[in-house]
Amino acid sequence: MTKRINLWSGPRNISTAIMYSFAQRPDTKVEDEPFYAYYLKNSEARSYHPGAEDILNSMDTDADKVLSRIKNDHSAEVFFYKNMTHHLLTMDNAFFDGFHQVILTRDPVEMLPSFAAVIENPTIDDVGYQRHTELIEKFQRDSTPFVVIEAESFLNNPEEKLRKLCEAIDIPFYPEMLSWSAGARPEDGVWAPYWYINVHKSTGFMPFKKKTEPFPEHLKPLLGECMPHYLKLKAIAL
């Protein structure tokens, strides 16, 4: 039976590394942010996301067509879709039916400065935390199974967390998931040059290292908005 996994992440998380991890499986096909162009076409983000025109020109902007293509692809046993939660401009059930749902979060104290290095003045709509808790509330109302992963906890023991994740999805764990070759990868989206510089230097999950720089003053109001959502996610994470 085909398994389709939706990873719903915020930006500047370990979502790309997890995508690379799943790409090492012999039974799995991965796809990088299939709804990015749809999001850009239908939001103000088009005006400030780096490489927006390249993204729009290289991907389908019609969410219905993207979903149809995804759901009719039977070329692998397991499909892994790395998504950004803020790309969900609607909570239409079509985005969720027939998929295993995984939510990935990261402490905003660690995430926000990294994101602001690329997009200087982000809002809560750019970073996904509120959308994450809305997703959880929807899944709970609909009795939809889901799994939450917290980035720091994951990086402290990636093999254990990957084993638990695979068990929750009912797929085998492969040791090959713990490493990959450095550099750009064929699964990368065209936005990789703007966002994937650090992960391209990696050959596996890097140990968690806490930021030592002072938290930027201009991001503190956004941090206050994001933190309650993050704490809700962290409380139910693997």
Side-chain angles (χ1 to χ4, degrees), residues 3 10 36 39 50 55 72 98 111 115 128 132 135 141 175 218 235:
K3 303 278 187 178
Y36 200 164
Y39 164 70
I55 296 166
N72 287 290
M111 189 283 282
F115 186 73
H132 268 143
L135 259 183
R141 285 196 307 270
H218 77 285

Side-chain angles (χ1 to χ4, degrees), residues 149-187:
I149 301 171
E150 195 279 326
E152 179 181 346
S153 174
F154 185 98
L155 291 176
N156 285 333
N157 198 333
E159 180 173 348
E160 176 193 0
K161 293 299 190 292
L162 279 173
R163 287 183 180 276
K164 287 184 176 181
L165 178 58
C166 290
E167 181 180 355
I169 300 169
D170 193 24
I171 57 176
F173 167 78
Y174 289 96
E176 294 93 325
M177 297 175 74
L178 294 169
S179 62
W180 50 84
S181 300
R185 301 194 53 82
E187 52 265 23

Side-chain angles (χ1 to χ4, degrees), residues 184-230:
R185 301 194 53 82
E187 52 265 23
D188 289 347
V190 298
W191 49 90
Y194 304 102
W195 300 100
Y196 296 177
I197 295 170
N198 288 333
V199 74
H200 282 169
K201 299 174 184 176
S202 71
T203 57
F205 293 102
M206 305 294 289
F208 173 75
K209 290 180 67 174
K210 193 172 183 65
K211 289 186 183 299
T212 56
E213 303 85 356
F215 189 85
E217 285 293 327
H218 77 285
L219 294 175
K220 286 186 176 178
L222 179 57
L223 176 64
E225 289 184 82
C226 295
M227 188 58 75
H229 299 288
Y230 165 70

Side-chain angles (χ1 to χ4, degrees), residues 30-47:
V30 306
E31 187 166 347
D32 196 6
E33 301 183 32
F35 301 105
Y36 200 164
Y38 154 75
Y39 164 70
L40 291 177
K41 182 182 178 182
N42 296 283
S43 74
E44 295 181 0
R46 178 176 184 168
S47 65

Side-chain angles (χ1 to χ4, degrees), residues 8-10 13 85 102-108 127-137 139-140 146-151 226-238:
W8 298 107
S9 177
N13 212 317
T85 312
V102 181
I103 295 175
L104 174 61
T105 190
R106 181 186 180 192
D107 188 340
V127 294
Y129 288 96
Q130 181 173 333
R131 208 58 163 157
H132 268 143
T133 55
E134 290 172 355
L135 259 183
I136 286 174
E137 290 165 2
F139 292 159
Q140 289 172 335
F146 65 94
V147 177
V148 178
I149 301 171
E150 195 279 326
C226 295
M227 188 58 75
H229 299 288
Y230 165 70
L231 292 175
K232 287 181 182 179
L233 293 162
K234 184 180 180 181
I236 57 174
L238 282 180

Side-chain angles (χ1 to χ4, degrees), residues 73-90:
D73 187 352
H74 299 282
S75 60
E77 295 176 40
V78 179
F79 293 86
F80 178 94
Y81 307 102
K82 175 195 149 197
N83 295 294
M84 293 293 108
T85 312
H86 54 282
H87 293 177
L88 273 178
L89 300 177
T90 172

